[in-house]
């Protein structure tokens, strides 16, 4: 062992320091004394998706047998819980999720979970949150396959329903979502499931569950749960935008569109298109976003659905503004606002006023931009939508800047900055700080401009956003 410290360390790590697994490896090594430990490490690496890399002809050299010995020593309740854990596709699991998989009350679960901890079969990494080593998770997955098909489906259905409801509650905090009732009933489910009072709480939960949610959606797509896949794609839209998880956004967005197409449901296709379209916009793939929205527009117009037609027209307008063709965008944005007012939708009127104001700013018609942006901010304040109210303040500051009213521009910009910080909306704040730097530069406040751009660059670099290069250039030019 002293001659091969590297392989020894890797063996310990791959066995999760589990005495039983280490005993298996030791027995395997002892049975082949002429083999270097590096050869055994290679077997462990190749095990990948199953336990075959640790299989042996004798019980003492077969990890399945060793894990089985440990498993059989558990109480009946602990065995049932451990097997149920194999149904979860993610990397770790909350006690709430275990409750869904087992249908056992949380308080009843604590004893078997402690038993699993004491047996080194699970590790509690945070309060009420557990993780298994890869080898044990593979074993649990094998045990889960032995669960009766009806019971297995019911367990997964409970887990999926929980994640749908809680992801819906999170989206309601993270992103303006007046049509969430078309996707999920956030008031349903168990009263103990997580709820959120602020966007920061919702984002914390989404950050923690991110890997599990991604794994779950992929698994659902693989097994044909199409109606759930498109719903998750839409529900995660706001999270992906807030954290700029562009690769996840594109991948889950594509799965959502594919799933929606398989259902043949127009509502599903509409919502899935909006998620993937947003991902294309975030990736600055404007042509693909517009093409996707144009396809959705055909569907909403064929259904004579004025509200959804307005949404798609608004999205096309936003894409055109950001692609540099704001002149062409104005017509789409005007039509969207008109349809919202005809439908009497205050929620939509607020959003479309905001985007139309942005469009007018982009073509230099700042008075019209100011009017629409101020109307939007007032509506968002009435609706209690703080994030979008802050975004409206950004647009108002840009209108004032275009009108050369620098004092009002600076004052409004500072209001927006404070509101973004209070909400923990760091990506929106970073984008806004680009403008703050320009405003401070125009006022001759070089130090404040440099500070704004430095703060923006820190966020963009952390999110791997290409705007970091733009900010670096601004900082270089300001020296």
């Amino acid at each position: 062992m002293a001659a091969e410290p590297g392989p020894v360390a890797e063996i310990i790590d791959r066995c999760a320091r589990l005495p039983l697994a280490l005993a298996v490896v030791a027995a395997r090594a002892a049975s082949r004394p002429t083999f270097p430990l590096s050869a055994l490490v290679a077997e462990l690496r190749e095990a990948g998706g199953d336990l075959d890399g640790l299989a042996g002809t004798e019980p003492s050299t077969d990890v399945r047998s060793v894990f089985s010995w440990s498993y059989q020593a558990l109480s009946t309740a602990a065995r049932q819980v451990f097997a149920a854990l194999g149904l979860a596709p993610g990397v770790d699991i909350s006690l709430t999720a275990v409750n869904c998989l087992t249908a056992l009350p949380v308080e009843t679960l604590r004893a078997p979970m402690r038993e699993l901890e004491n047996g080194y079969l699970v590790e509690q990494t945070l309060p009420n949150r557990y993780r298994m080593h890869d080898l044990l998770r593979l074993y649990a997955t094998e045990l889960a396959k032995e669960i009766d098909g009806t019971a297995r489906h019911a367990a997964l259905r409970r887990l999926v329903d929980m994640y749908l409801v809680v992801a819906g509650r999170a989206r309601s905090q993270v992103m303006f979502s007046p049509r969430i009732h078309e996707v999920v009933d956030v008031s349903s489910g168990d009263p103990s499931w997580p709820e959120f009072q602020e966007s920061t709480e919702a984002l914390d939960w989404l950050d923690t569950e991110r890997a599990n949610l991604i794994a779950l959606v992929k698994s659902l797509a693989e097994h044909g749960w199409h109606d759930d896949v498109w719903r998750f794609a839409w529900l995660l839209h706001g999270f992906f935008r807030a954290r700029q998880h562009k690769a996840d956004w594109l991948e889950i967005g594509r799965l959502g569109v594919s799933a929606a197409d398989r259902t043949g449901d127009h509502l599903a296709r509409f919502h899935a298109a909006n998620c993937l379209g947003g991902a294309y916009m975030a990736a600055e793939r404007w042509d693909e976003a517009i093409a996707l929205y144009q396809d959705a527009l055909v569907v909403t117009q064929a259904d004579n659905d004025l509200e959804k037609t307005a949404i798609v027209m608004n999205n096309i307008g936003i894409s055109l503004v950001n692609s540099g063709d704001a002149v062409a965008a104005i017509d789409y944005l005007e039509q969207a606002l008109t349809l919202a007012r005809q439908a009497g939708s205050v929620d939509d009127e607020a959003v479309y006023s905001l985007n139309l104001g942005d469009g007018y700013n982009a073509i230099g018609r700042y008075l019209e931009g100011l009017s629409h942006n101020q109307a939007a901010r007032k509506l968002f304040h009435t609706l209690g939508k703080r994030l979008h109210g802050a975004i409206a303040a950004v647009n108002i500051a840009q209108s004032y800047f275009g009108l050369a009213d620098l004092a009002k521009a600076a004052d409004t910009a500072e209001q927006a900055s404070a509101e973004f910080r209070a909400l923990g909306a760091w990506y929106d704040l970073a984008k806004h700080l680009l403008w703050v730097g320009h405003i401070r530069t125009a006022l001759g406040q070089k130090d404040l401009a440099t500070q704004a751009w430095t703060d923006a660059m820190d966020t963009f670099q952390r999110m791997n956003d290409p705007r970091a290069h733009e900010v670096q250039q601004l900082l270089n030019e300001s020296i």
Side-chain angles (χ1 to χ4, degrees), residues 321-341:
V321 169
N322 286 290
S323 69
D325 194 359
V327 173
I330 294 298
D331 183 55
Y332 283 101
L333 295 171
E334 288 279 14
Q335 289 185 67
L337 181 57
T338 298
L339 289 172
R341 287 171 173 165

Side-chain angles (χ1 to χ4, degrees), residues 168-238:
R169 293 173 181 173
R171 164 152 177 159
S172 295
Q173 292 292 337
V174 172
M175 187 176 189
F176 190 44
S177 307
R179 287 175 182 77
I180 197 165
H181 63 279
E182 297 179 348
V183 180
V184 65
D185 180 3
V186 296
S187 66
S188 65
D190 192 285
S192 67
W193 292 353
E195 294 192 64
F196 316 103
Q197 301 303 315
E198 297 286 346
S199 60
T200 50
E201 295 176 5
L203 286 169
D204 285 344
W205 181 84
L206 288 162
D207 285 334
T208 300
E209 294 286 355
R210 176 189 171 193
N212 295 330
L213 287 164
I214 298 300
L216 179 61
V217 176
K218 290 179 181 179
S219 178
L220 293 174
E222 181 181 346
H223 291 91
W225 292 38
H226 304 305
D227 192 57
D228 297 298
V229 171
W230 75 259
R231 294 177 194 274
F232 275 115
W234 187 84
L235 292 170
L236 294 173
H237 180 166

